[in-house]
Amino acid sequence: MKIKKKQFNQSNVIFYLGMFAVFLLSLTLRFWQLERFNTLVFDEVYYAKFANDYLTRTPFFNAHPPLSQYIIAIGIAIGTHLPFGKTAVNSMAGSLLSPWDYRWLNALTGSFIPLVVGALAYQLVPRRTFAFIAALFIACDGLFLVESRYALNNIYLVLFGILGQLFIFKSVEAEGKKRWLLLVLAGIGFGASAAIKWNGLWFLFGTYLILICAWAVRFIQGNRGNEEQSREVDSPLIPAESPVQKLTQLNFIEVGLSLAVIPILVYSICWIPHLHLNPTPNFWQMQTEILTYHERIKSGPSVHPYCSTWYSWPLMLRPIVYFYKTASNNAQPDPVLPPLPSGATETIFDVHAIGNPFLWWFSTLALILVAGVLIHRIVVWFQTRQVASVDSLEQQQPILFPPTAQMWMLLYLIVNWAANLLPWMKVSRCVFLYHYMGCSVFGALALAWWVDRWLYSPQTRLRGMGVTISFLIVGAFIFWMPIYLGLPLSQMEWKIRMWLPSWV
């Protein structure tokens, strides 16, 4: 007994050390030379400026809900009083600021996203290796790294959406005041995600869909889904119950509070500071103004050179160049750029908002496999029910779907991936690769589940596949690191990283 307890404690220590290492990696990469480009990069021309407008009380029109700009404004207010990060300053946001001032809070917030994704993975299936692999994969995603290093808003949208789902799953395993607290936190997360951008609602939409699925399965099974779960388990490493199926334990008041009332309240309250500064148009008029503004935006290269179609995102066919500049030692020093490498004739500084190619491509394959597994299970379940319906009542056995926690998790992943992607089919305006960031979390979770499963497989071939995929993802992260961080590259070094013509 003491030996087992000692092994358990050692396993816990290794797990927490691994997660701390992932966090430390994320933190270091996000803060490393955070002020290296002394300018407003990509949409910082909106978000950093709008954030400073709130601080200087300058009226303006905002085409998105205001929460992300409040957060950046808090970062600016704190950053201007910090005794470091002042190696360069500019007035592009409307005040004399260091890039550190309007970027540091995003960098800090983005550092926690891998941990939150790992916590969600562990909540779905309590396996440490699955949680660690999921956190590591997100930490090795270039798009999350790039978005975290600049005063942009997508990391907040994803973070709040994931937290909303994490808290709703934790609430079904709690009781009394703790459950109510978690339900309130879930509602705050969903409302805050929508208060970043309206597409933050996709996380709430996915939660509604998976709740409907859980109730549908329970109804089909004659309300026995939560009490008489099949003991069939695909792997001894996976428990038989899942927090996804437990969502049906929430009563009408709890669902209404966490998935409707609180999100609406949080979204509405977030507009108060903006409306205090900009009293017209009013709250309802602002919602109409935002909608009509985005409806007026067309699509195609004539609107923006990096517009991309929603169906191209899983293959990452059209990333975005956030910053691109060439420099030479023969020319005058550029105050926007860091010092050039000695002896360099022509240097390229490029920040590409591009995911980790191997992570995204393997995640897409993982999602296809997940869909295949679920379709096969549904077909088998349907066929079994048909056969059982013609047997005698004494011979019938309850055929439950999904019968294991891993099936519920896979259903959750595919439903939420679809909920974050398919609504974009109806969007006619120019859209970008970063709109896939919410989907990419569920893709990375699907891939992490397969890799974790393969690493524990008795088949050497599958174990080798899991190890190979992990090393390819880490290696790709290192290989494309220069265009995530904007490191100086020669023409040849830059070209070998542009694998597809559409990446340029």
Side-chain angles (χ1 to χ4, degrees):
M1 180 66 71
K2 290 183 178 179
I3 294 176
K4 288 184 178 179
K5 186 175 181 180
K6 184 177 180 181
Q7 290 175 342
F8 177 78
N9 290 335
Q10 288 177 343
S11 178
N12 270 343
V13 170
I14 293 172
F15 171 68
Y16 288 122
L17 285 176
M19 296 298 282
F20 178 74
V22 168
F23 173 72
L24 195 61
L25 171 69
S26 299
L27 191 71
T28 302
L29 291 176
R30 281 157 175 77
F31 276 94
W32 181 81
Q33 292 194 8
L34 192 61
E35 73 286 359
R36 66 185 282 105
F37 298 121
N38 185 27
T39 185
L40 297 179
V41 172
F42 195 61
D43 280 349
E44 284 186 329
V45 296
Y46 302 114
Y47 302 123
K49 186 179 184 307
F50 291 169
N52 189 65
D53 286 343
Y54 284 123
L55 295 175
T56 58
R57 303 193 60 76
T58 304
F60 66 97
F61 172 75
N62 196 344
H64 287 295
L67 182 56
S68 63
Q69 289 95 82
Y70 298 161
I71 298 172
I72 297 170
I74 292 171
I76 292 173
I78 297 174
T80 53
H81 292 87
L82 296 177
F84 46 82
K86 303 296 188 293
T87 57
V89 294
N90 66 72
S91 58
M92 295 181 179
S95 299
L96 197 61
L97 300 172
S98 164
W100 178 282
D101 296 338
Y102 48 81
R103 292 175 184 165
W104 75 270
L105 191 51
N106 280 55
L108 180 63
T109 303
S111 302
F112 286 95
I113 290 181
L115 297 186
V116 175
V117 172
L120 177 61
Y122 191 82
Q123 189 65 32
L124 292 168
V125 176
R127 284 188 45 72
R128 297 184 188 90
T129 50
F130 173 47
F132 172 76
I133 293 169
L136 178 64
F137 284 176
I138 292 296
C140 290
D141 184 74
L143 187 53
F144 276 95
L145 174 59
V146 172
E147 285 279 331
S148 300
R149 284 176 55 85
Y150 299 99
L152 306 172
N153 60 3
N154 294 296
I155 57 165
Y156 297 112
L157 181 150
V158 175
L159 178 64
F160 290 138
I162 296 172
L163 284 173
Q165 294 195 341
L166 175 61
F167 288 134
I168 201 75
F169 286 137
K170 292 182 75 70
S171 71
V172 298
E173 298 182 345
E175 296 179 353
K177 293 182 179 179
K178 185 177 180 181
R179 169 176 280 198
W180 284 105
L181 173 62
L182 290 168
L183 289 170
V184 169
L185 290 175
I188 292 173
F190 290 128
S193 185
I196 300 295
K197 284 183 180 179
W198 282 358
N199 55 293
L201 288 170
W202 301 161
F203 287 97
L204 183 60
F205 178 47
T207 306
Y208 274 116
L209 289 180
I210 199 64
L211 178 62
I212 291 170
C213 290
W215 271 107
V217 171
R218 178 171 173 174
F219 176 77
I220 293 171
Q221 293 172 180
N223 291 325
R224 293 180 297 181
N226 292 325
E227 293 82 14
E228 299 182 28
Q229 282 297 307
S230 168
R231 292 296 117 189
E232 176 198 353
V233 178
D234 292 344
S235 166
L237 301 171
I238 305 295
E241 294 184 345
S242 167
V244 180
Q245 70 193 95
K246 292 180 181 178
L247 288 175
T248 57
Q249 296 177 9
L250 298 176
N251 60 43
F252 180 78
I253 295 177
E254 291 170 335
V255 171
L257 179 73
S258 59
L259 302 185
V261 176
I262 293 180
I264 292 173
L265 284 175
V266 169
Y267 179 82
S268 302
I269 290 170
C270 283
W271 279 96
I272 293 175
H274 177 85
L275 294 174
H276 184 70
L277 178 63
N278 306 274
T280 55
N282 63 32
F283 175 81
W284 294 110
Q285 291 170 337
M286 269 304 303
Q287 312 313 305
T288 304
E289 288 284 338
I290 290 176
L291 179 61
T292 54
Y293 172 85
H294 290 286
E295 286 179 339
R296 288 195 301 267
I297 301 176
K298 299 186 183 299
S299 187
S302 60
V303 176
H304 197 287
Y306 294 103
C307 291
S308 58
T309 53
W310 66 271
Y311 51 82
S312 71
W313 298 339
L315 296 179
M316 207 174 63
L317 298 181
R318 188 58 171 163
I320 315 162
V321 177
Y322 277 5
F323 181 88
Y324 183 92
K325 212 163 192 181
T326 59
S328 171
N329 280 325
N330 300 326
Q332 290 293 327
D334 190 335
V336 170
L337 300 176
L340 303 182
S342 58
T345 55
E346 185 179 63
T347 301
I348 295 174
F349 291 91
D350 177 20
V351 176
H352 249 66
I354 182 173
N356 183 319
F358 283 105
L359 174 61
W360 281 45
W361 295 336
F362 285 138
S363 294
T364 300
L365 290 175
L367 287 164
I368 293 172
L369 290 175
V370 166
V373 169
L374 287 171
I375 292 171
H376 175 264
R377 182 57 61 95
I378 292 172
V379 170
V380 171
W381 173 65
F382 184 72
Q383 291 174 343
T384 307
R385 285 178 60 88
Q386 282 187 321
V387 172
S389 66
V390 299
D391 292 340
S392 63
L393 292 176
E394 291 79 9
Q395 293 175 328
Q396 289 185 28
Q397 298 294 327
I399 308 299
L400 307 180
F401 172 85
T404 62
Q406 62 181 354
M407 288 297 110
W408 280 103
M409 182 201 67
L410 297 183
L411 183 66
Y412 160 79
L413 293 181
I414 205 70
V415 165
N416 278 273
W417 174 81
N420 275 268
L421 178 63
L422 297 184
W424 292 105
M425 294 173 62
K426 291 292 186 179
V427 177
S428 60
R429 60 149 288 173
C430 176
V431 290
F432 301 96
L433 184 68
Y434 56 68
H435 290 125
Y436 189 74
M437 288 176 66
C439 298
S440 70
V441 170
F442 302 106
L445 284 169
L447 180 60
W449 178 77
W450 282 112
V451 169
D452 179 43
R453 187 180 177 92
W454 290 336
L455 289 176
Y456 283 89
S457 172
Q459 299 183 38
T460 304
R461 175 177 57 85
L462 292 179
R463 292 200 303 273
M465 193 185 313
V467 172
T468 301
I469 289 174
S470 300
F471 274 101
L472 282 174
I473 289 171
V474 174
F477 185 57
I478 296 171
F479 178 72
W480 274 281
M481 185 79 69
I483 63 173
Y484 300 148
L485 300 180
L487 302 182
L489 294 171
S490 68
Q491 189 74 15
M492 181 59 67
E493 290 170 334
W494 179 80
K495 283 184 177 180
I496 64 174
R497 288 168 173 83
M498 298 295 108
W499 281 18
L500 299 177
S502 59
W503 288 6
V504 178

